[in-house]
Amino acid sequence: MRWHQKTVEDVIEELNTSLKGLSSEEAQKRLLEYGPNELKEKEKRTIFMMFLDQFKDFMILVLIAAAIISGIVGDAVDTIAIIIIVLLNAVIGFVQEYRAEKAMAALKKMAAHTALLLRSGEHTNIPASELVPGDIVLLEAGKVVPADMRLTEAVQLKAEEAALTGESVPVEKHAKALHDGKLPIGDRKNIVYKGTAISYGRGAGIVVATGMNTELGKIATMLQEEEEVKTPLQKRLTTFGKNLAFAVLAICAVVFAIGVFRGESALLMLLTAISLAVAAIPEALPAVITISLALGAKKLIKQNALIRKLPAVETLGSVTYICSDKTGTLTLNKMTVEEVYLDRKIVRSEELGVRSEEYNSVLLTPHSEFFTALALSNDAQKDASGVIIGDPTETALYAIAKENGFNKSELEKEHPRVAEIPFDSDRKCMTTFQKTGIREKGLVVGENITELRSPTANPQPLVSFTKGAMDVLLEKADNILTSEGIKPIDHNEIMQKNARMAADGLRVLGIAVRNWDALPDDISPENVETGLTVLGLVGIMDPPREEAKEAVSLCKTAGIVPVMITGDHPITAMAIARRLGIIEDGSKTVITGRELERLSMEEFEEKVDHLRVYARVAPEQKLKIIKALQDRGQFVAMTGDGVNDAPALKRADIGVAMGITGTDVSKEAAHMILLDDNFATIVKAVKEGRRIFDNIRKFIKYTMTSNSGEIWTIFLAPFFGLPIPLLPIHILWINLVTDGLPGLALAAEPADKGVMSRPPRHPKENIFAHGLGTHIIWVGLLMGFVSLFTQAWSIKTGHAHWQTMVFTVLCLSQMGHVLAIRSDRESLFSQGLFSNKPLLGAFALTFVLQMATIYVPFLNPIFKTEPLTFAELMFTLVLASVVFIAVEIEKLLLKRRKITS
């Protein structure tokens, strides 16, 4: 029902009510029919089921299977380690999911608790949950609107709707019918919405929707229906886990079959195959991921980004689109005077260079009159802490006047306000009356006044300042003040300057003056706002953040598309977008909310790749934008601060809520909160996300290459006529000491150079892309061949310790490998050994532990090892370094190939 199009009389007839309200009996009937005025929640999962759901992930199931097998083999240490990792992962997942459920609770908090209404003409207070369509509710400043209402009366009524519509300033309301059927909710000035607040004035309205039928209720429905999408890492790891499980089972079956076929003990081969299976599963992977994400989240807090859902840290690295609100995120969220039209010239505010001392000695300068008017015809004030408070436009005028030496508090002492005609949306202007006076060096305001009249003897001379929309002001003005005196006004010239300033995205206001011998008896707009003298024009804008421009440029370098979404006018949006570099001059990449509404999803998806600015967009349309981009294979970060941003924030790959201006609902639905509401912070978070994914990928490269080396060593030995080179205890030990601490230490690896100079990973890109799979195979084969060469040479030359030598070569080869893969391009020597101290410590500890298994006597029988001679140890160390040298050569060749290409 389009209530905003109906007259008050039509609404009363439609809802079968009256301006005296419903009777108590009728209200009770309707309460049974429509239900309570409350937001309903869908049935929740129990806490126990929420916890159990954490074990459904395929990778977790593979790890549980590995734990059971380890227990059967008798490797209690591995079993306990895996169980701890699985439980830790489940607890973290549970906590994040449980917190996400709070978004609905935060939404319910916004509802009013009580309502003042008319029942059978009598004023009465009732619980807001008992309101029904047709009730007449009374509104006043400070009250929360208890239901969606069509206004019947509005006396200077303003509503704070930022949380619902994204409108940053209070919206002036009226009770007249509106004729446009497709108005977005923010432009329905005769409707007030459940959960918003009355900031000024008073009014009354007819309840037209309650509970889940309100705009707030529709958001609650979307919030509960909208499912979160899986992160890129979750998707990749699910695929990786499945493929790995099948590959490991197949390889182990082949190893077992070949061993038995060659005459090895079936029990030994079974234990070897099972040990190989346990070793091949990277059980430390969830721990590495969790620690990497946690460390990243901790680091991001210092950069003003609070991560609410841990997987979001990595997802940031996959982002291909950042859809950002304009106000406060790309801009300062502070209206500022950018240009003024003064003395028939447009001047940038920073070029004014006005000092009040210069003008106090000169009568009737355009500058002094203009800035005095800006300071006095203004309701903004400074609070005790020195912050300017008031309407955003008025604070901008207050600030520019003060910057140029015209301090409102000082001026008001000499020129107090004596009367005013408040702003209203029909006239589009406001007028104030001030007493005139003389400063030491001359007149500050007033025309042709040579002396002050005594207030007791004669009426006090006054000046009135009128400010408002320039087209309206021109109809009321006869003259313009210039440095050459008062001249007849040239309407065409003024409108041309007005249009030029507006084309730059500025909100243009005119300011005019009129002098009075005394306060008129008839203070009506018709009598007062005529015969004005224009002082100048002022162009106001919420300017872009300096750091946002740099961040947009960095986005483009990193292959990320920055997109602006705003409820503002298209011209303003385009002006800001051009200044930030989001769009290039002349490019038609803007769409309005109305145009978007007319497009079907299929038509929109054809255009969405080329659009960079969405203007006059209602927050609920963000959901359409996200879905269209995701359908096109993009990974989207979306910012929002309002209540009906919440479904979009939840649906986005990364929902980013505003920490300063954001509502509790948006924060609970988001993955990340910007503590400084700054676009540049998102870009910093993207860089951290890329670093984290790179480090997770390095761990997979390291652990899977190590596992590959172990598999090749055991798998290929029979083909060279060699006995089984490693015992189950050797495989499990290597798996324990090499996968654990060194792998975890990779999480601390700093970001690679140029991490933000490459395009984002394709969202569907395989985890083994960019040569990772090839590296795992060839380096694993190299490890296998080096180990088998050690075995063959040792047996041929009669070294009885050949198994200990193979065990040591394979273990230390993996340590050389972890040092070499810290970067895909940079040599370890250019990176510096000490640039990742945790990894260096893990390397040293692993080396010491491996030496202990060889040289500590009581460990020899446990690990089936024997002490090596010095020559044998040197031989194993030389062979173990082959892998490190080979990978360093690979990096050098790749770097040279990149330079030549």
Side-chain angles (χ1 to χ4, degrees):
M1 188 71 72
R2 298 189 185 278
W3 298 107
H4 65 281
Q5 289 182 276
K6 297 180 180 293
T7 63
V8 172
E9 292 74 19
D10 289 341
V11 175
I12 288 171
E13 186 180 340
E14 190 86 35
L15 292 172
N16 192 20
T17 185
S18 75
L19 291 177
K20 291 184 178 181
L22 300 170
S23 67
S24 298
E25 294 77 20
E26 179 62 25
Q28 198 59 40
K29 282 182 195 173
R30 295 191 185 191
L31 187 59
L32 292 171
E33 180 185 349
Y34 293 103
N37 177 32
E38 295 174 336
L39 300 183
K40 296 172 186 171
E41 293 187 62
K42 65 180 181 181
E43 192 176 337
K44 289 183 178 179
R45 285 178 298 162
T46 65
I47 287 176
F48 179 67
M49 286 306 299
M50 210 183 286
F51 184 71
L52 278 185
D53 283 348
Q54 307 307 317
F55 297 95
K56 287 182 179 177
D57 187 85
F58 191 83
M59 192 71 191
I60 297 298
L61 293 174
V62 170
L63 286 176
I64 292 169
I68 293 167
I69 292 167
S70 294
I72 293 168
V73 173
D75 183 16
V77 174
D78 237 25
T79 302
I80 293 167
I82 293 171
I83 289 171
I84 289 170
I85 287 165
V86 167
L87 283 174
L88 179 67
N89 202 64
V91 167
I92 289 169
F94 166 77
V95 168
Q96 288 164 0
E97 201 166 326
Y98 181 73
R99 287 175 68 184
E101 296 286 330
K102 289 185 180 177
M104 191 64 202
L107 196 62
K108 291 178 84 171
K109 274 186 191 174
M110 290 186 62
H113 297 297
T114 60
L116 177 64
L117 72 160
L118 290 172
R119 285 269 163 94
S120 302
E122 298 291 326
H123 288 67
T124 180
N125 259 306
I126 67 166
S129 60
E130 294 178 13
L131 282 175
V132 293
D135 267 329
I136 305 294
V137 177
L138 305 177
L139 300 168
E140 61 183 8
K143 293 286 186 184
V144 174
V145 179
D148 286 6
M149 294 158 52
R150 167 66 167 88
L151 291 169
T152 58
E153 181 188 12
V155 181
Q156 295 185 12
L157 188 71
K158 291 184 181 180
E160 180 59 67
E161 296 182 345
L164 190 66
T165 65
E167 182 62 55
S168 57
V169 295
V171 180
E172 188 171 348
K173 296 290 183 177
H174 59 72
K176 290 175 287 189
L178 298 165
H179 303 295
D180 189 341
K182 294 186 177 179
L183 281 177
I185 63 171
D187 291 335
R188 297 174 193 174
K189 302 292 178 68
N190 54 13
I191 305 278
V192 287
Y193 299 101
K194 181 179 175 71
T196 61
I198 302 302
S199 61
Y200 191 79
R202 60 181 177 81
I206 305 170
V207 173
V208 294
T210 59
M212 297 302 280
N213 294 319
T214 62
E215 291 298 330
L216 200 65
K218 291 172 189 173
I219 295 160
T221 302
M222 284 193 289
L223 194 58
Q224 293 181 105
E225 288 176 353
E226 206 54 55
E227 292 184 4
E228 286 190 55
V229 293
K230 277 193 168 185
T231 69
L233 189 62
Q234 287 168 329
K235 292 173 183 174
R236 289 184 180 103
L237 287 179
T238 299
T239 306
F240 170 64
K242 287 177 181 175
N243 294 341
L244 179 64
F246 294 134
V248 166
L249 289 172
I251 290 168
C252 292
V254 171
V255 167
F256 175 77
I258 291 173
V260 171
F261 180 75
R262 288 184 70 241
E264 298 283 355
S265 160
L267 180 61
L268 174 64
M269 288 315 301
L270 178 63
L271 289 173
T272 302
I274 290 171
S275 300
L276 202 58
V278 172
I281 301 294
E283 68 269 23
L285 183 57
V288 167
I289 290 169
T290 302
I291 290 169
S292 297
L293 297 178
L295 290 174
K298 186 179 177 183
K299 186 175 178 182
L300 283 171
I301 286 177
K302 295 175 183 174
Q303 297 177 4
N304 290 317
L306 175 65
I307 302 298
R308 288 195 69 257
K309 298 170 186 177
L310 216 49
V313 181
E314 178 277 329
T315 312
L316 284 159
S318 298
V319 163
T320 57
Y321 268 72
I322 299 178
C323 299
S324 175
D325 277 333
K326 175 182 74 70
T327 305
T329 310
L330 291 167
T331 64
L332 292 170
N333 196 19
K334 180 186 175 185
M335 295 301 277
T336 306
V337 174
E338 295 263 302
E339 289 180 346
V340 298
Y341 173 70
L342 191 57
D343 198 13
R344 290 184 170 170
K345 295 188 287 290
I346 292 177
V347 186
R348 296 286 301 170
S349 59
E350 61 269 20
E351 295 169 4
L352 282 167
V354 180
R355 291 193 305 276
S356 58
E357 295 80 21
E358 294 178 19
Y359 296 106
N360 282 346
S361 59
V362 183
L363 299 185
L364 298 177
T365 68
H367 290 79
S368 63
E369 292 272 322
F370 180 73
F371 285 110
T372 300
L374 292 185
L376 291 173
S377 181
N378 192 319
D379 290 327
Q381 298 288 344
K382 264 193 178 183
D383 65 12
S385 60
V387 176
I388 306 171
I389 55 173
D391 178 85
T393 300
E394 300 221 317
T395 60
L397 302 182
Y398 181 108
I400 192 71
K402 189 171 187 308
E403 284 168 19
N404 287 280
F406 293 81
N407 192 321
K408 181 183 176 182
S409 57
E410 293 296 318
L411 289 170
E412 278 185 326
K413 292 174 185 175
E414 298 178 54
H415 316 293
R417 186 182 301 185
V418 295
E420 66 179 278
I421 307 174
F423 175 88
D424 73 52
S425 52
D426 292 331
R427 296 178 17 253
K428 296 183 182 176
C429 59
M430 72 169 283
T431 297
T432 63
F433 285 85
Q434 320 283 153
K435 288 183 179 179
T436 59
I438 298 176
R439 281 187 174 179
E440 288 180 20
K441 294 184 180 179
L443 289 172
V444 180
V445 293
E447 178 193 347
N448 299 326
I449 300 172
T450 57
E451 64 179 10
L452 275 175
R453 300 175 187 172
S454 166
T456 54
N458 294 301
Q460 174 74 38
L462 302 168
V463 63
S464 67
F465 294 119
T466 301
K467 71 171 186 278
M470 199 60 229
D471 55 339
V472 174
L473 221 57
L474 274 181
E475 295 172 6
K476 305 171 186 292
D478 298 329
N479 305 303
I480 185 169
L481 180 62
T482 71
S483 54
E484 297 168 358
I486 294 172
K487 303 288 183 184
I489 197 162
D490 183 337
H491 284 231
N492 288 334
E493 180 190 348
I494 295 289
M495 288 312 293
Q496 282 176 7
K497 301 299 183 185
N498 184 73
R500 213 286 280 138
M501 291 168 78
D504 285 343
L506 302 177
R507 182 187 175 195
V508 184
L509 288 177
I511 187 94
V513 67
R514 180 178 174 183
N515 291 283
W516 303 83
D517 291 331
L519 189 67
D521 295 328
D522 177 14
I523 305 181
S524 66
E526 295 76 18
N527 182 48
V528 171
E529 294 169 352
T530 59
L532 304 179
T533 298
V534 171
L535 297 175
L537 279 68
V538 53
I540 304 168
M541 175 187 272
D542 178 12
R545 291 175 180 264
E546 278 303 315
E547 63 270 31
K549 186 173 183 179
E550 188 181 330
V552 165
S553 175
L554 190 57
C555 273
K556 290 185 169 183
T557 304
I560 300 166
V561 179
V563 169
M564 179 198 289
I565 300 177
T566 179
D568 230 330
H569 194 279
I571 293 173
T572 305
M574 284 181 69
I576 295 287
R578 282 202 182 97
R579 283 173 64 171
L580 288 169
I582 290 174
I583 59 174
E584 307 298 329
D585 282 339
S587 57
K588 175 61 180 162
T589 55
V590 182
I591 189 170
T592 64
R594 282 197 176 187
E595 293 168 332
L596 182 57
E597 194 177 353
R598 288 197 292 265
L599 294 175
S600 68
M601 200 63 178
E602 292 73 25
E603 291 170 326
F604 180 42
E605 283 179 10
E606 287 176 14
K607 295 185 173 188
V608 72
D609 287 341
H610 307 291
L611 296 170
R612 297 293 177 268
V613 176
Y614 295 84
R616 280 282 189 252
V617 169
E620 60 267 23
Q621 289 179 311
K622 287 184 176 182
L623 203 52
K624 185 174 182 179
I625 297 167
I626 290 171
K627 286 180 177 176
L629 287 168
Q630 288 176 337
D631 288 347
R632 299 285 291 178
Q634 304 295 345
F635 261 73
V636 187
M638 173 73 78
T639 72
D641 56 5
V643 172
N644 60 348
D645 288 331
L649 292 175
K650 189 174 179 182
R651 171 73 192 200
D653 298 286
I654 289 286
V656 183
M658 303 295 111
I660 299 170
T661 58
T663 57
D664 287 347
V665 183
S666 63
K667 290 174 187 175
E668 292 292 350
H671 304 84
M672 180 173 94
I673 298 170
L674 298 185
L675 301 178
D676 59 356
D677 290 10
N678 193 336
F679 180 82
T681 302
I682 305 174
V683 182
K684 290 177 192 171
V686 168
K687 181 179 179 181
E688 184 63 17
R690 289 189 175 191
R691 181 190 75 85
I692 286 166
F693 182 77
D694 284 352
N695 289 349
I696 291 169
R697 203 166 171 272
K698 285 169 191 172
F699 175 77
I700 291 171
K701 181 191 241 184
Y702 164 64
T703 191
M704 293 310 297
T705 304
S706 300
N707 296 351
S708 167
E710 294 160 26
I711 290 167
W712 286 122
T713 300
I714 293 171
F715 182 71
L716 294 175
F719 293 100
F720 292 103
L722 297 169
I724 296 298
L726 297 169
L727 297 172
I729 187 68
H730 298 149
I731 298 169
L732 293 171
W733 172 255
I734 292 173
N735 184 47
L736 181 67
V737 296
T738 61
D739 272 13
L741 288 175
L744 291 172
L746 280 172
E749 190 63 36
D752 286 342
K753 291 177 185 175
V755 71
M756 290 297 280
S757 301
R758 65 183 192 221
R761 304 184 304 279
H762 191 279
K764 294 182 180 176
E765 177 184 282
N766 191 292
I767 206 159
F768 295 106
H770 304 296
L772 179 60
T774 307
H775 178 95
I776 288 169
I777 293 168
W778 85 258
V779 177
L781 271 171
L782 181 62
M783 278 186 193
F785 281 125
V786 170
S787 301
L788 292 174
F789 173 78
T790 305
Q791 183 184 12
W793 182 85
S794 302
I795 291 172
K796 189 172 183 181
T797 53
H799 288 78
H801 308 142
W802 64 266
Q803 199 163 52
T804 303
M805 292 173 73
V806 173
F807 175 39
T808 305
V809 165
L810 188 55
C811 181
L812 297 183
S813 290
Q814 293 178 18
M815 287 296 91
H817 182 238
V818 78
L819 292 177
I821 60 157
R822 284 181 53 197
S823 170
D824 290 336
R825 295 286 185 270
E826 294 295 316
S827 164
L828 174 67
F829 304 106
S830 63
Q831 283 182 290
L833 267 173
F834 294 96
S835 54
N836 186 343
K837 290 176 184 174
L839 182 60
L840 196 62
F843 175 88
L845 180 61
T846 303
F847 182 83
V848 169
L849 290 172
Q850 181 62 23
M851 292 301 104
T853 64
I854 301 171
Y855 295 110
V856 175
F858 79 86
L859 292 177
N860 292 146
I862 297 172
F863 289 97
K864 310 294 188 291
T865 55
E866 297 167 302
L868 300 176
T869 66
F870 181 76
E872 287 171 336
L873 179 62
M874 288 299 105
F875 181 68
T876 59
L877 292 177
V878 168
L879 287 176
S881 65
V882 168
V883 170
F884 171 79
I885 294 165
V887 175
E888 283 290 321
I889 292 170
E890 177 199 31
K891 289 194 290 185
L892 182 64
L893 294 173
L894 287 171
K895 195 171 182 180
R896 283 184 177 173
R897 189 188 303 168
K898 188 178 180 182
I899 292 168
T900 54
S901 62

